[in-house]
């Protein structure tokens, strides 16, 4: 990566790091801005390996969450473990050519299976515990945790810059897998270390849009680099819209309201007052 690309990645990642909401942070992190920069500055083509790189992005956060939350490793050591998992996966993927269509099917099956497992676990948690009064972002405890986790701005910039330089040094080893390298993952994991499980769940869901981006880019990259980027971003936008469209929950009848705007009691059998 060039120094201009390193500086651009630093600026993008710093902007992501200031977001407090875990859900919004996961969505913004999933925007393929670093992928776009990597494709523009390195000239790598998108093939089946990059689709499996999206799997590697998710495994990065899983490795960090497991080593930090369960094994109690320091967060920076857990980050290093996540990077090691991504590099090891990259080495294995690059060793064997993966046809693009095979990679598409494999990643879609993995995504659908992951969503099914997460949905089953969410239902199990809902049966065991009462529903919260509001969304996680509205919980003052989570907000306080986010403030405690936050690094000072100079420290953020330093960590981001070092991570971007490290990515540039790993470019020769990662080759095409540098496109999906977790550029901002190290800092995001540090700042969201108390909420890594929630972040990983939201990011896994948004990963389908990254698959759409890479698929759109792949089928247009031979025609025009600009057209490939436009097609990739269009596919990302369409899939993201489908993922985040509001859904009507079943079995929620509308409340009936009286003439004054208040709730109206449903009519029932009138009791006789004759004794």
């Amino acid at each position: 990566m060039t120094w201009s690309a390193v500086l651009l990645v630093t600026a993008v990642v710093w902007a992501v790091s200031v977001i407090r909401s875990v859900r919004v942070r996961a969505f913004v992190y999933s925007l393929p801005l670093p992928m776009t920069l990597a494709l523009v500055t390195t000239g790598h083509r998108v093939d089946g390996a990059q689709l499996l790189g999206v799997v590697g992005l998710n495994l990065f956060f899983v490795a960090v969450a497991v080593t930090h939350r369960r094994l109690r490793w320091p967060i920076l050591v857990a980050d290093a473990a996540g990077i090691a998992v991504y590099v090891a996966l990259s080495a294995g993927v690059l060793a064997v050519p993966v046809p693009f269509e095979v990679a598409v099917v494999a990643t879609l099956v993995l995504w659908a299976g992951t969503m099914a497992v997460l949905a089953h676990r969410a239902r199990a948690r809902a049966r065991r515990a009462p529903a919260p009064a509001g969304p996680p972002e509205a919980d003052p405890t989570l907000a306080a945790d986010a403030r405690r986790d936050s690094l000072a701005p100079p420290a953020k910039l330093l960590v981001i810059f070092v991570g971007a330089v490290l990515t540039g040094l790993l470019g020769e080893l990662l080759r095409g897998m540098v496109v999906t390298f977790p550029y901002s993952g190290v800092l995001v994991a540090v700042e969201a270390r108390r909420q890594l499980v929630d972040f990983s769940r939201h990011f896994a869901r948004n990963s389908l849009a990254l698959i759409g981006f890479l698929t759109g880019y792949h089928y247009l990259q031979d025609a025009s680099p600009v057209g490939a980027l436009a097609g990739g971003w269009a596919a990302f936008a369409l899939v993201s819209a489908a993922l985040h469209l509001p859904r009507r929950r079943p079995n929620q009848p509308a409340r009936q309201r009286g003439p004054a705007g208040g709730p109206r009691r449903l009519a029932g059998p009138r009791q006789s007052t004759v004794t």
Side-chain angles (χ1 to χ4, degrees):
M1 295 177 68
T2 63
W3 282 106
S4 60
V6 169
L7 294 176
L8 285 173
V9 168
T10 301
V12 170
V13 174
W14 182 85
V16 172
S17 71
V18 301
I19 299 172
R20 287 287 175 262
S21 168
V22 177
R23 183 176 302 172
V24 176
R25 180 181 290 181
F27 172 74
V28 175
Y29 177 77
S30 69
L31 292 173
L33 290 170
M35 290 187 185
T36 299
L37 291 174
L39 289 170
V40 170
T41 57
T42 63
H44 287 297
R45 292 176 57 84
V46 170
D47 53 25
Q50 281 70 46
L51 281 179
L52 297 180
V54 176
V55 178
L57 280 174
N58 284 278
L59 290 178
F60 166 82
F61 285 106
V62 170
V64 175
V66 169
T67 54
H68 179 64
R69 299 298 298 273
R70 294 193 178 183
L71 303 183
R72 304 296 182 184
W73 290 10
I75 187 59
L76 293 180
V77 178
D79 272 330
I83 293 175
V85 168
Y86 182 87
V87 172
L89 175 69
S90 300
V93 169
L94 293 173
V96 180
V98 181
F100 188 82
E101 286 72 19
V102 173
V104 169
V105 173
T107 51
L108 290 178
V109 169
L110 285 173
W111 183 85
T114 301
M115 293 301 101
V117 170
L118 291 177
H120 174 75
R121 295 181 63 180
R123 288 192 296 268
R125 285 196 303 268
R127 288 193 297 266
R128 290 195 302 266
E137 290 78 3
D139 190 338
T141 303
L142 296 180
D145 289 344
R147 286 193 294 270
R148 285 198 298 268
D149 285 344
S150 181
L151 297 175
K156 288 181 183 180
L157 290 175
L158 178 61
V159 173
I160 296 168
F161 182 77
V162 171
V165 172
L166 176 62
T167 302
L169 296 177
L170 288 172
E172 291 298 323
L173 173 64
L174 295 174
R175 289 180 285 169
M177 297 297 285
V178 77
V179 172
T180 51
F181 184 83
Y183 297 94
S184 57
V186 174
L187 181 64
V188 169
V190 170
E191 293 221 324
R193 59 184 178 271
R194 297 178 187 270
Q195 302 155 322
L196 276 173
V197 175
D198 289 338
F199 179 90
S200 300
R201 184 176 67 252
H202 290 305
F203 178 69
R205 183 167 178 259
N206 295 331
S207 295
L208 184 64
L210 291 179
I211 296 173
F213 171 82
L214 293 172
T215 302
Y217 188 95
H218 170 81
Y219 285 111
L220 294 174
Q221 62 186 344
D222 291 329
S224 166
V226 176
L229 286 175
W233 274 95
F236 176 88
L238 289 173
V239 176
S240 294
L243 287 174
H244 296 282
L245 280 176
R247 293 175 174 84
R248 183 179 178 181
R249 296 182 180 180
N251 302 325
Q252 287 189 345
R255 295 182 62 187
Q256 300 184 25
R257 309 193 68 84
R264 186 176 63 188
R265 296 180 61 183
L266 295 178
R270 182 175 300 176
Q271 296 182 357
S272 174
T273 59
V274 178
T275 57

